[in-house]
Amino acid sequence: MKIPENSTDLLDGELRIAQSVAVVRQLPMIIFGNGLGALIGSLSLQGKATQPFLLVIAMWILLLPVCAGYLKLRRMPRPASVSRRRIVRLIAYSGLLGTIWAAALLFYLPDSSFDTLAFAFMGCSFLAAGAAAAIYVIPMATAAYATPIFLASIYVAATYSHQGQIWLTLLILLMACGVAWGTTANWEGFRLMTKISVERVKLLSDAQAAIVSRNQFLENVSHEIRTPLTTMLGYTKLLKAQEAQMLVTHREALGYLDTSCFSLLTTIDALLDVAKLNADQLALQDAVFDPRKLIQEVLESMRFRAREKNISLGSDYSADVPARIHGDPERVRQIVVNLVGNAIKFTNIGRVDIELRCERRTQDRSSSFRATQPAEPMLCILVRDTGIGIAAAKKALVFNNFYQVDGSSRRRHGGMGLGLTVSNLLTRLMNGSLDFESDGISGSSFKCLLPLRPHVDSGVEPVVKESTDGAAWHVLVVDDDPYIRHYLMTLLSTEGWKVQLAESGEHAIDACSRQRFDLILMDIQMPVMTGIDASIAVWTEGSMNEHTPIVAVTGYLSTDRIAEMREAGLVEYLSKPIVQEQLLAKARQCAARGSKHPATAAFG
């Protein structure tokens, strides 16, 4: 909806819409009321006035345009507005209708009996009151209709020779004042309600614009931060593969660099994820992964930090935990990293242990329906530490945004207080729960429960071709960032793949028109032409790569972005910073699949 900048114009437009709708709805009442009033008035005057049915004939002739207009409007869709010309015509027509009634009163009633006179005056007054109630959204039309009727009634009543003429005149005056007051009050109330409606529409529009602006800001910030992080973490990983050849001081420096990059990534992920969760823009993946391997990888990445504080890291895996389960491995990893990192941070002496087991979630007994359901199998991730613990008075605040156990400027422990908040929101998003126990003295125990969905093998494992024949694999890397291009070229070249670089979507299309590739790595957010537009162009413009799998790389993974990619044919996705092992595994899978089938895949 386009909202006018001028609130006065917006209010005027809303009033016109309401007026048009009200006029269409009230036309039957106007037609019926006036026609019935004319008929009853003629019958009451029959035998006491010459040609009384001329009033009925004249009134219905006058009402024919109203009937025709009503039938025409009924066949049309709901009117968007009513023009000023139509309002002027309605006012003029209402004045003509009221004048006809006034003329009839002046012509017929002076020679009638007082009873007939009083009856007619009361009927006309109620007609005026009905008109005021029906078309009060156009006050001038009500005034044009009711004023002639009341003036004629007051004149005839005041000049009629009868002892009750004073009371009849006062009664008509009182009714006239009531109609005027009612019309004014209804119009003011209607205008006030319309103004409130306009303000709500404008507030809603402003809120929607703010949401769009916030999402765009998050997308840009996420892209600009995660892109250099991909290079930093990627080269750190490549250097760690060669640390056996380094000096001891270089290995230590590399360890500090790796820990700092990981800490920076955790902080940025927490900030962006809280914003995306609050905006309902965080999307979950559905992949198959090994929970034991995931826990072990997290512990390996944390050993350097634990070793600095002389803390032991331990793990225990129950035998009933399936080897492969369905879920979002990256979000589960993020939860475990937050819980273990938090435990290490607040533990000065002792150890941190993580336990992986299966449990059954107790059903809600407050619901008779759910109480009859079997207990739901859950994956339990239990993290225990021997740290400082959490005081009972602060337990209710642990999952609040930016909460610190010690929030003073002299606090011993760093961090922003978002790790547990994000973990709690993520577990709830996955239909799980996160809780903890602590006596405030001897450490804490955090328990995360996630729905357990074991992977059932079909019996036939897909055969994925490995990249043993390096010369046969041609990869096109498309990214506007030169450091990302250089890192991906270095990484893929070590795998024996032949890599070609393109710095924009246009260059990628040009390269695809001259050579066939086994795989394309496509950055989504690029200037001039986005990665999605470039992917569609590669697939649809009759190039040699119309069936080549495209791996899209994006720094902002949201529900809107996923829907946009899927609509373009990009159905799988990963976000920056790129994890080396996941990229290589998925790239091999997509390239091997693409060499046999015209399938498309994406990393977003």
Side-chain angles (χ1 to χ4, degrees):
M1 180 189 302
K2 184 178 180 181
I3 304 297
E5 295 182 1
N6 192 332
S7 59
T8 304
D9 294 341
L10 179 58
L11 177 59
D12 185 63
E14 288 293 319
L15 286 173
R16 290 175 185 278
I17 294 173
Q19 287 171 339
S20 64
V21 174
V23 168
V24 173
R25 289 177 177 175
Q26 304 301 340
L27 278 178
M29 183 183 297
I30 296 172
I31 296 169
F32 178 78
N34 283 274
L36 184 62
L39 179 60
I40 294 175
S42 300
L43 290 175
S44 66
L45 294 172
Q46 188 175 6
K48 299 180 180 179
T50 58
Q51 300 177 333
F53 282 97
L54 286 177
L55 178 62
V56 177
I57 297 171
M59 190 58 66
W60 276 104
I61 291 175
L62 200 59
L63 290 173
L64 282 176
V66 182
C67 298
Y70 173 71
L71 294 175
K72 180 180 179 181
L73 289 172
R74 288 290 295 178
R75 290 193 297 266
M76 296 173 60
R78 173 179 169 172
S81 65
V82 56
S83 65
R84 293 186 182 276
R85 180 178 299 179
R86 178 168 292 182
I87 292 178
V88 171
R89 288 209 310 259
L90 179 62
I91 294 173
Y93 187 82
S94 300
L96 178 60
L97 200 62
T99 303
I100 294 295
W101 276 108
L105 293 175
L106 294 173
F107 180 75
Y108 287 113
L109 294 183
D111 297 331
S112 303
S113 65
F114 185 78
D115 294 338
T116 303
L117 183 73
F119 177 78
F121 284 164
M122 290 300 101
C124 289
S125 298
F126 280 115
L127 275 176
I135 55 174
Y136 68 88
V137 294
I138 306 178
M140 289 301 296
T142 303
Y145 178 81
T147 301
I149 295 176
F150 280 118
L151 289 178
S153 300
I154 293 171
Y155 174 77
V156 174
T159 58
Y160 195 87
S161 181
H162 190 273
Q163 59 182 1
Q165 67 180 75
I166 296 177
W167 300 109
L168 182 60
T169 303
L170 291 176
L171 182 60
I172 296 173
L173 282 172
L174 182 61
M175 293 192 68
C177 293
V179 168
W181 177 83
T183 302
T184 303
N186 288 338
W187 167 250
E188 290 299 327
F190 168 72
R191 185 177 176 83
L192 177 61
M193 292 299 297
T194 306
K195 184 178 180 180
I196 293 174
S197 176
V198 167
E199 291 174 352
R200 287 178 178 174
V201 171
K202 193 172 186 307
L203 287 174
L204 179 61
S205 176
D206 293 342
Q208 291 172 343
I211 290 173
V212 172
S213 177
R214 177 185 62 183
N215 291 343
Q216 187 65 44
F217 173 78
L218 284 176
E219 180 175 350
N220 293 335
V221 168
S222 180
H223 175 80
E224 295 302 326
I225 292 177
R226 291 177 184 271
T227 296
L229 266 178
T230 297
T231 307
M232 294 167 59
L233 292 170
Y235 276 115
T236 302
K237 188 78 173 180
L238 292 176
L239 289 174
K240 284 181 72 67
Q242 304 175 13
E243 64 179 345
Q245 307 170 13
M246 298 180 181
L247 299 175
V248 175
T249 55
H250 292 172
R251 285 200 297 268
E252 289 180 354
L254 183 60
Y256 294 142
L257 177 62
D258 186 29
T259 302
S260 298
C261 289
F262 188 79
S263 177
L264 178 61
L265 175 62
T266 303
T267 301
I268 292 171
D269 281 343
L271 283 171
L272 295 176
D273 286 344
V274 166
K276 286 196 289 186
L277 284 164
N278 290 333
D280 197 22
Q281 285 291 311
L282 194 144
L284 295 176
Q285 301 181 56
D286 188 10
V288 179
F289 66 98
D290 184 351
R292 293 182 180 85
K293 182 179 179 182
L294 186 148
I295 298 295
Q296 197 61 36
E297 290 174 352
V298 172
L299 292 179
E300 288 299 324
S301 67
M302 295 279 188
R303 290 199 185 279
F304 187 82
R305 292 175 56 189
R307 197 160 45 237
E308 283 185 317
K309 301 182 68 174
N310 294 322
I311 298 173
S312 300
L313 288 181
S315 59
D316 182 24
Y317 308 121
S318 176
D320 58 352
V321 176
R324 295 202 295 173
I325 63 175
H326 285 270
D328 188 333
E330 291 310 306
R331 296 306 175 185
V332 175
R333 182 190 305 272
Q334 187 176 357
I335 292 171
V336 177
V337 165
N338 288 337
L339 294 180
V340 175
N342 209 58
I344 293 175
K345 180 169 65 174
F346 291 102
T347 300
N348 299 319
I349 301 175
R351 59 185 297 109
V352 174
D353 294 300
I354 184 168
E355 181 182 350
L356 192 66
R357 65 174 187 246
C358 293
E359 286 191 3
R360 295 277 177 175
R361 178 159 61 181
T362 305
Q363 299 296 320
D364 184 6
R365 297 298 175 181
S366 61
S367 171
S368 59
F369 172 77
R370 295 184 65 183
T372 61
Q373 303 300 309
E376 183 181 4
M378 306 294 288
L379 179 69
C380 175
I381 304 173
L382 190 62
V383 178
R384 299 189 184 92
D385 65 69
T386 57
I388 61 175
I390 302 173
K394 298 182 178 180
K395 287 185 177 181
L397 307 174
V398 166
F399 296 121
N400 289 357
N401 288 351
F402 304 105
Y403 174 73
Q404 297 277 358
V405 174
D406 179 10
S408 67
S409 60
R410 298 180 180 180
R411 66 181 189 272
R412 297 174 57 189
H413 310 285
M416 296 185 301
L418 283 177
L420 292 179
T421 300
V422 172
S423 299
N424 186 43
L425 293 174
L426 286 175
T427 53
R428 289 167 58 185
L429 185 63
M430 291 186 278
N431 196 26
S433 63
L434 178 62
D435 202 358
F436 71 95
E437 294 179 355
S438 178
D439 58 6
I441 301 174
S442 58
S444 306
S445 176
F446 281 82
K447 182 178 182 180
C448 175
L449 292 177
L450 300 175
L452 180 62
R453 294 185 294 149
H455 175 68
V456 180
D457 293 329
S458 60
V460 180
E461 292 293 333
V463 178
V464 179
K465 179 180 177 182
E466 296 292 338
S467 59
T468 54
D469 185 8
W473 297 78
H474 297 270
V475 183
L476 176 64
V477 174
V478 187
D479 201 299
D480 61 313
D481 189 283
Y483 307 111
I484 292 288
R485 294 199 302 269
H486 187 272
Y487 163 64
L488 291 177
M489 182 181 68
T490 304
L491 173 62
L492 298 177
S493 297
T494 58
E495 297 294 315
W497 294 9
K498 184 178 179 181
V499 182
Q500 183 171 336
L501 304 179
E503 63 183 18
S504 65
E506 294 88 344
H507 290 172
I509 296 172
D510 180 64
C512 289
S513 66
R514 292 183 280 102
Q515 180 181 351
R516 185 188 181 279
F517 297 95
D518 297 295
L519 184 67
I520 300 174
L521 300 182
M522 181 78 71
D523 183 29
I524 290 297
Q525 190 170 354
M526 294 186 293
V528 183
M529 175 179 283
T530 66
I532 292 179
D533 294 336
S535 301
I536 295 174
V538 168
W539 284 333
T540 59
E541 292 185 1
S543 67
M544 293 182 288
N545 295 273
E546 58 182 350
H547 299 312
T548 301
I550 295 181
V551 176
V553 182
T554 180
Y556 185 71
L557 188 63
S558 64
T559 54
D560 292 343
R561 172 55 57 83
I562 291 174
E564 185 181 7
M565 290 193 301
R566 286 180 174 173
E567 186 178 357
L570 308 174
V571 294
E572 296 184 22
Y573 37 85
L574 287 174
S575 62
K576 293 179 181 178
I578 302 170
V579 179
Q580 178 178 325
E581 294 80 7
Q582 294 177 355
L583 172 63
L584 292 176
K586 186 65 74 170
R588 293 189 187 102
Q589 179 184 354
C590 292
R593 187 191 308 143
S595 65
K596 296 183 179 182
H597 306 288
T600 60
F603 292 79

